[in-house]
Amino acid sequence: MTKKNKEISRRKFIDLGIQGYTGATLAQVLPASLMGISACTSADAKTYHGVCYHDCPDSCSWEVKVENGKVTGFGGDKENPLINGKLCGKMETFPQDITYNPDRILNPLKRVGLKGEGRFEKISWEQAIKEVAEKLKESVALNGGESVLPFGYMGTQGIIQKAAMSNRFFAKLGASKMAETICGSTAITGNLITNGQIIGVLPEDIVLSRHIILWGTNTKNSNVHLWPLVLEAKEQGAKIIVIDPFKSATAMEADQHIQLLPGTDVALALGMMHVIIKEGLIDSDYIEKYTEGFDSLKDHVENYHPAAVSEICGLNEETIINFARDYASAKPSLIRILIGMEHNYNGGDAFRAVGMLPSLTGAWRERGGGLMHMTFEMFGKALNYERLGMFASLSEKETRTINMVQLGSVLNNDELNPAIKTIFIYNANPVATIPNQNLIRKGLAKEKLFTVCVEHFMTASAEYADY
C-alpha cells in the first residue's frame, strides 16, 4: 500500500459525490463509438468523477477523461485514499463493455413475436412513451393501481438512479409495493436486532486487528480495496481465517480455511458460543454492562456442543474447539461479515448469531476489534435521506406489499385481488436472479400481462417484454 496521506475532508467527500453524479450521467449518454481507452493529452479534454453503481462493498470512485464527446481515459480515482487509482477486474474495461458495447440497446423496442422469443422492432421514444402511457392508464382504469407491480432492485445502486423517481411515480399511481428481501435486508435485519446498528468497525481500522475472520466473503475478488488492508494487518502479525463452503481465492491465501457445509453458519456460531462460555472465555464485565439476555443465550447454546455441531457443519470437533478458543483469546479480534450468509433460509439468524460473538468476548473494547459490516449508514451524515423518502407522502392510500422472492407465484395467481396485470422491470433481471425461474417464465409469458422492461441489454427478462 502507498504511504501517502490518506486524509479526506467531509467537504471533499460531498464535492466528489456531486461530481460523481455528473460523470455517471455522462457515461450513459455518450455516443456509441469508442476511439480506444488511452491516456488523454488534449488540452480540450476534461476529467469527470463518477462512482460505480454495482452492488459490492467498495463503491469505487472513477476518473473519466472525455475528449470531443468520447471517453479517452477511464480508471480509479487517484485522489480517493481507498481506491488509490485501482478498479476491480469487472470494471476496468467498463466503457468497452457497457457504454460502447455494440449490443447495448439505444432505441425503444416493441415486441413483434411471441413473449420470450426476443423478437422486437425499433420505435421512436415518442411512440414508446405514448403507447406505454396509454396502455398503463387503460389497465389501471380497469384493474386498479395495485394491479401494477414495479420490480426494480440493485441493477444500479445510485441513490438517484435506483429508485428516487420511480418510487414517486408508482406511489402516485397507487401501485403495489415490492419488498426487497432477496439479500441485503436479511443481513441488515439480523445485525440490527443484535447490535442496534450496522456500521461497526470502519474498514481502515482492520489494519489494527490481530485476528481477522472473513465470514461469507471472498474479499480478494469482491472487496478488492479492503484486501490490501487485510494483507497489511497480516504483515503486522494478524491471523486470517476464512469461513466459506467454497474454496475461494481468499480462502487459498488465508492462514486457515474453515470449509463448513452450506447454510450451517448458525450452528457454527452457536457452537463457538458453547465453547467460549463453557471455558470461561467470556468478558463478564462487558456482558453485564452492555448486553441483554445472556442467561437465556447460555441455556440455548448448551445443546450446541462440539460433537453436535460437528455433525451439522461437517467439521471435526477439534477444529470447532480451537477456532472458538483462538477467537476469544486474540486481541483485537475482528469478524468481517458480508453477502455469503444472506442467501439461505436461515440467513437472518446467521447474522444474529455471528453478531453476538464480539459482545461475548468484549472484542468491541479495542479499536480494530468487533464486527465489520456495511457502512452505508454513514451516508446519512452527509445526505438527506428524508428527502428521498418523501415518495410515501404521494400515496393516496395504503397499498399492499408483495415479497419479491414470491414473484413466480404472484404472476400466476389469478385469484389475487387484484391480479397483477402490469409489471415494470428495471434495475433487475428476475428471470436470472429470483427463485422459481420456470414459474417466473410462465407468468411473464402470459399475453394478458403487460410488461415494460428498462434495460441496457437484451436479458432473459427483457425477452418477455412488450416494450
Side-chain angles (χ1 to χ4, degrees):
M1 283 192 62
T2 178
K3 299 299 182 182
K4 69 180 182 180
N5 181 18
K6 296 184 180 300
E7 293 297 320
I8 184 167
S9 68
R10 175 175 170 177
R11 181 69 259 167
K12 179 69 173 176
F13 173 81
I14 295 173
D15 288 344
L16 287 174
I18 294 170
Q19 295 174 41
Y21 176 62
T22 303
T25 302
L26 178 69
Q28 297 175 32
V29 299
L30 290 172
S33 61
L34 179 63
M35 303 301 291
I37 302 300
S38 60
C40 182
T41 57
S42 171
D44 296 329
K46 293 183 179 180
T47 298
Y48 296 88
H49 294 276
V51 64
C52 186
Y53 59 84
H54 277 304
D55 182 10
C56 105
D58 286 25
S59 293
C60 298
S61 50
W62 301 339
E63 285 184 352
V64 186
K65 294 182 180 180
V66 179
E67 183 179 0
N68 298 323
K70 298 174 184 176
V71 172
T72 55
F74 180 81
D77 190 339
K78 299 178 183 64
E79 297 301 316
N80 185 315
L82 288 177
I83 305 307
N84 197 26
K86 177 178 172 55
L87 298 176
C88 72
K90 189 173 186 177
M91 295 306 299
E92 287 176 337
T93 55
F94 175 80
Q96 300 102 310
D97 295 340
I98 304 296
T99 308
Y100 300 118
N101 191 309
D103 294 328
R104 181 180 169 193
I105 298 172
L106 299 175
N107 301 94
L109 303 175
K110 182 177 181 179
R111 178 170 63 90
V112 294
L114 296 175
K115 288 199 171 188
E117 281 187 336
R119 292 172 54 207
F120 296 88
E121 65 177 3
K122 291 182 181 180
I123 59 175
S124 68
W125 283 101
E126 290 77 13
Q127 180 183 347
I129 293 171
K130 181 176 182 292
E131 292 183 6
V132 168
E134 288 176 348
K135 292 178 185 293
L136 178 61
K137 287 192 291 184
E138 180 182 352
S139 181
V140 170
L142 289 174
N143 307 294
E146 286 186 313
S147 68
V148 179
L149 177 64
F151 194 101
Y153 198 39
M154 291 297 186
T156 172
Q157 285 193 299
I159 290 175
I160 302 298
Q161 300 287 3
K162 177 181 181 291
M165 300 312 296
S166 57
N167 278 345
R168 299 176 192 186
F169 175 74
F170 290 114
K172 188 65 176 176
L173 194 69
S176 294
K177 296 189 287 287
M178 191 187 72
E180 300 179 346
T181 58
I182 194 67
C183 56
S185 60
T186 301
I188 292 169
T189 302
N191 201 356
L192 279 174
I193 290 173
T194 303
N195 293 307
Q197 54 85 39
I198 65 169
I199 295 175
V201 178
L202 297 179
E204 54 266 36
D205 283 350
I206 200 170
V207 298
L208 303 173
S209 305
R210 292 299 170 265
H211 192 86
I212 300 172
I213 299 174
L214 302 173
W215 202 315
T217 166
N218 185 6
T219 309
K220 183 178 180 180
N221 285 357
S222 62
N223 199 177
V224 296
H225 298 101
L226 184 67
W227 184 242
L229 301 179
V230 173
L231 294 180
E232 184 175 336
K234 185 175 182 179
E235 289 175 2
Q236 297 175 15
K239 182 178 181 180
I240 312 301
I241 303 95
V242 169
I243 315 270
D244 197 331
F246 173 68
K247 190 175 183 180
S248 66
T250 306
M252 288 188 282
E253 293 204 26
D255 296 299
Q256 183 180 9
H257 176 203
I258 298 180
Q259 197 169 8
L260 76 175
L261 293 174
T264 63
D265 306 86
V266 178
L268 178 57
L270 295 177
M272 291 175 66
M273 295 183 206
H274 176 98
V275 174
I276 290 169
I277 294 172
K278 183 178 180 180
E279 298 191 3
L281 300 175
I282 61 173
D283 186 330
S284 299
D285 179 66
Y286 189 92
I287 291 170
E288 182 179 351
K289 288 180 178 178
Y290 304 113
T291 71
E292 296 179 353
F294 173 72
D295 290 336
S296 297
L297 177 66
K298 182 179 179 181
D299 292 340
H300 181 69
V301 302
E302 186 64 31
N303 293 326
Y304 287 87
H305 48 82
V309 173
S310 172
E311 290 292 324
I312 297 171
C313 298
L315 302 169
N316 63 58
E317 294 181 43
E318 286 302 311
T319 297
I320 297 166
I321 295 170
N322 292 334
F323 177 45
R325 288 173 178 168
D326 289 347
Y327 167 71
S329 302
K331 307 293 181 184
S333 58
L334 172 68
I335 300 176
R336 166 58 159 168
I337 51 175
L338 214 57
I339 309 300
M341 295 189 294
E342 292 177 357
H343 296 256
N344 291 292
Y345 72 93
N346 61 354
D349 284 337
F351 283 94
R352 289 181 66 191
V354 173
M356 295 178 190
L357 290 165
S359 294
L360 279 183
T361 62
W364 290 110
R365 290 186 184 276
E366 299 176 84
R367 188 177 173 190
L371 190 75
M372 181 189 295
H373 192 206
M374 300 177 183
T375 57
F376 71 82
E377 274 189 359
M378 298 179 72
F379 294 160
K381 306 292 184 182
L383 303 177
N384 186 353
Y385 272 131
E386 290 75 15
R387 179 63 176 165
L388 290 174
M390 60 79 65
F391 68 88
S393 65
L394 299 176
S395 299
E396 296 181 2
K397 64 175 184 177
E398 184 64 28
T399 56
R400 67 188 177 188
T401 299
I402 291 174
N403 191 328
M404 69 187 310
V405 300
Q406 297 174 335
L407 178 64
S409 299
V410 168
L411 292 179
N412 289 281
N413 185 357
D414 294 329
E415 296 181 2
L416 194 65
N417 187 23
I420 299 301
K421 298 295 184 179
T422 300
I423 183 170
F424 277 76
I425 300 173
Y426 55 101
N427 292 337
N429 183 10
V431 169
T433 60
I434 301 299
N436 296 319
Q437 183 185 87
N438 290 337
L439 201 56
I440 292 173
R441 287 184 181 274
K442 179 182 176 182
L444 291 175
K446 291 184 174 181
E447 283 293 332
K448 292 183 178 180
L449 178 69
F450 179 51
T451 302
V452 180
C453 186
V454 181
E455 182 55 79
H456 294 298
F457 298 95
M458 185 54 63
T459 66
S461 300
E463 290 177 348
Y464 289 89
D466 294 292
Y467 291 84

